[in-house]
Amino acid sequence: MDVGSWRLYTAVAAGGFRRYATYRVATAAGVFTNTVFGLVLVYAYLALWDEKPQLGGYDQAQAVTYVWLGQALLATLAIGGGGIEDELMERIRTGDVAVDLYRPVDLQLWWLAADGGRAVFQLLGRGVVPFVFGALVFPASLPREPSTWVAFLVAVALAMLVSFAIRYLVALSAFWLLDGTGVTQMGWLVGFFCSGMTLPLNVFPGTLGEVVRALPWASLLQAPADVLLGEADPLATFAFQAGWAVALLALGRLVQSAATRRVVVQGG
Amino acid sequence: MRAYRLIAGMWLRSTMTYRASFALTAFGNFAMTALDFVAILLMFSRIDALGGYALPEIAFLYGLSGVSFGLADLAIGSMDRLGRRVRDGTLDTLLVRPAPVLAQVAADRFAPRRLGRVLQGGLVLGWALTAVDVAWTPAKLALLPLMLVSGAGIFAAVFVAAAAFQFVAQDASEVANAFTYGGTTLLQYPPTVFARELVRGVTFVVPLAFVNWLPASHVLGRPYPLDLPGWTAFTPPLVAVACGAAAGLAWRAGLRSYRSTGS
C-alpha cells in the first residue's frame, strides 16, 4: 500500500474511533451492564469449578479471568452485534452502497478500517474497566511477563480481523437477501456459542469440543484467552487465527466481486 | 389498554406481511435463549449438581425465569427505544395523541417474534415439571401460575422503571439490560451460587428473587435464600403489585421532567 492510501485508511479508522467515543453515557451504561453480567457469570463459574476443579484445564482463578475477558471483548469483537455491519447492510439495502463503489477506495479495506477504529475504542472504553474491576474483586490469573501481555494483544488484534471478516460476509448477504435481520441473528447465535462466550470451548465435551475449537469463532475469545492464561502456544495460536483471517477475508473479496458484478443495486 | 391493543395489532399485522422473516427471527429468538440452556446442559455433562441443585431443579428455575421474562419482554420489551425517542424528539408525537403515553411506548414496535423466548422457557419448564421429584400439594400447584404471572409483572415493572430512567439519561438504555437480561440470567442459577450481598440486593432492592427463587424454594422443598420465613413464598403477587406501583410513580416523575429537544 502506498503512503497516500495508508493515510486514508488511518483517517477512516480514527473516524471510527472518534464516532464511538462520542457516546459517553452509552459507553458508561455498557460498562455497567458488562460488569453486572460478569458478576452473574463469575458466580456461576465459581460454583461449576467448585464442583469440578481443573475443568477444561483451568483452575478457578483462570475461569474467573476468562469470564472478565469475555465481558471485555464482547463489544470489541461485536460478538453480540453492534459492529459496523448493521450500517453496511443498511447501505446495501437502500442502494447507497452504489456511491461507495464509485469511490476510489477499496470497499473491504474501508469498512475494515472503520471497524478497526470502533473495535479499538470499545476495547479501551468498554473493555478495560470491567476487566480491571473483575481482576481486583475476584482472584484472577494474570501473567507477570510483559511478553505474554504483548502476545495477548497480538491475539486480540488477530481476533478483530477474524471477527470483521465473518461480519463482512454476513453483511454482504444483504446483496441477495435485502433484509439481513435473520442472517445477522444467526451470525450472533453461532458467534456467541462457538466463540466461547456462553462456556469456554475447552469445557465442551468430546467431538463437539474438537469441532468448535477448529472453527473460525475459536479465534475470537478462546484464542486470546488461552494466550493470556498461558494455556496455548502463542505462535501456533497466531497461525490458527491468521489462517482463518486470510481465508475469510479472501472469501469476502470473492463474494464482494460476485455481488457487485451480478446484483442490481436498489434505488432510483 | 385499548390504545395498546390497537398499536400492538398494527405492528402484528406489519410483521405478518413478511412471514418468512417473522418465522426466521422468532426461531432466532428461540435458539438464542435455547443456547443458554444448552450451556447449562454442557455444564451438567461434567457435573451432577451446581450449587447443590440437580439439573431438573435448575431447569425448573430456568423455565420459570424464562417464561416470566419472556412474557414481560413480549408485552413491553420495546421500551428501551424510549431513549432514542427522547433524543430525536419523536416522543412529542406521542404526547399530543389522545392515548396514554405509557401504552403507546409499550406497544411501540410490538415484536411477536419474542414468542420464541416464551416458547423456549415453556418447553424447559414443561420438561422440568416432569423431571423434578416433588410431592405436589394444592398449594404448590396453585403457586405455579401465580409465579409466572407475578414474575412477568415484576419484570414488566423493571422495564418501566428502566424506561423512566431514560428520561434522565437518554443514552443509557443499556443499563436496563443489566437488570432485565442480566436479571433473568441470574435467576437461571440457584441462589446458593451467589454471594450473600448479591442475593440481598436482588431480594430487597430489585426484588427479582420473588420471580422464582422464593416460591421455587417452597415447591422444591429447599432452604429459603437469606433464611426468609416460609410465607414469603406466597408474596410474589403483592411484590409485583408494589413494584408496578413504584414503577408507575417513577414513570410519571420521568414523564413530567421531560423537556422536548425542540428540534
Side-chain angles (χ1 to χ4, degrees), chain A residues 33 43 51-52 126 179 189 203, chain B residues 21 32 46 49 174 193 195:
Chain A
T33 305
Y43 284 114
E51 205 67 41
K52 198 109 188 171
R126 250 183 100 154
D179 179 36
L189 204 71
V203 173
Chain B
S21 189
M32 194 79 187
R46 302 298 191 90
E174 223 181 313
V193 162

Side-chain angles (χ1 to χ4, degrees), chain A residues 86-100 174-175 178-179 264-268:
Chain A
D86 297 337
E87 197 188 340
L88 173 56
M89 253 179 182
E90 187 61 19
R91 288 187 77 79
I92 294 173
R93 201 179 61 77
T94 56
D96 288 344
V97 74
V99 183
D100 301 344
F175 271 115
L178 295 185
D179 179 36
V264 179
V265 167
Q266 296 256 96

Side-chain angles (χ1 to χ4, degrees), chain B:
Chain B
M1 261 335 267
R2 208 179 98 84
Y4 178 88
R5 251 201 337 269
L6 286 173
I7 301 170
M10 180 192 78
W11 284 107
L12 182 67
R13 282 194 301 281
S14 125
T15 309
M16 288 310 160
T17 317
Y18 301 100
R19 272 167 207 276
S21 189
F22 162 74
L24 207 59
T25 50
F27 173 75
N29 238 271
F30 178 92
M32 194 79 187
T33 44
L35 280 187
D36 283 349
F37 193 66
V38 172
I40 293 177
L41 287 177
L42 286 178
M43 289 182 185
F44 273 89
S45 73
R46 302 298 191 90
I47 54 174
D48 298 320
L50 190 69
Y53 282 60
L55 181 58
E57 293 173 297
I58 300 233
F60 185 59
L61 290 177
Y62 178 99
L64 288 170
S65 163
V67 174
S68 301
F69 178 76
L71 289 173
D73 188 41
L74 177 69
I76 61 171
S78 305
M79 294 209 61
D80 56 355
R81 292 177 51 83
L82 181 78
R84 183 190 287 191
R85 281 191 172 276
V86 171
R87 280 200 304 279
D88 64 18
T90 50
L91 187 66
D92 294 7
T93 329
L94 307 189
L95 288 173
V96 295
R97 284 192 198 139
V101 183
L102 184 59
Q104 295 184 57
V105 177
D108 191 19
R109 302 218 162 229
F110 175 75
R113 63 164 188 277
R114 293 182 172 139
L115 271 172
R117 185 184 279 273
V118 180
L119 182 67
Q120 193 268 334
L123 285 176
V124 174
L125 183 60
W127 175 76
L129 287 176
T130 64
V132 281
D133 185 21
V134 166
W136 290 100
T137 63
K140 287 182 179 179
L141 278 174
L143 254 182
L144 278 179
L146 211 62
M147 276 192 266
L148 294 178
V149 175
S150 315
I154 293 172
F155 272 122
V158 175
F159 272 110
V160 172
F165 177 65
Q166 287 184 64
F167 282 111
V168 188
Q170 309 170 1
D171 239 5
S173 66
E174 223 181 313
V175 168
N177 292 352
F179 295 100
T180 51
Y181 291 91
T184 180
T185 310
L186 175 101
L187 296 179
Q188 289 168 5
Y189 297 100
T192 45
V193 162
F194 299 99
R196 225 177 146 74
E197 300 78 47
L198 194 62
V199 177
R200 247 186 229 131
V202 293
T203 306
F204 300 116
V205 186
V206 186
L208 295 173
F210 293 86
V211 172
N212 64 356
W213 281 354
L214 279 163
S217 296
H218 175 77
V219 173
L220 299 173
R222 288 274 175 179
Y224 285 39
L226 307 173
D227 302 320
L228 288 167
W231 52 266
T232 49
F234 295 90
T235 53
L238 295 176
V239 174
V241 170
C243 287
L249 286 176
W251 171 261
R252 285 178 63 174
L255 191 60
R256 210 168 298 145
S257 75
Y258 172 66
R259 299 267 179 281
S260 174
T261 56
S263 56

Side-chain angles (χ1 to χ4, degrees), chain A residues 29 36 101 117 136 157 175 183 193 248 255:
Chain A
V36 171
L101 288 169
L136 289 178
F175 271 115
V183 186
F193 194 66
L248 292 170
V255 175

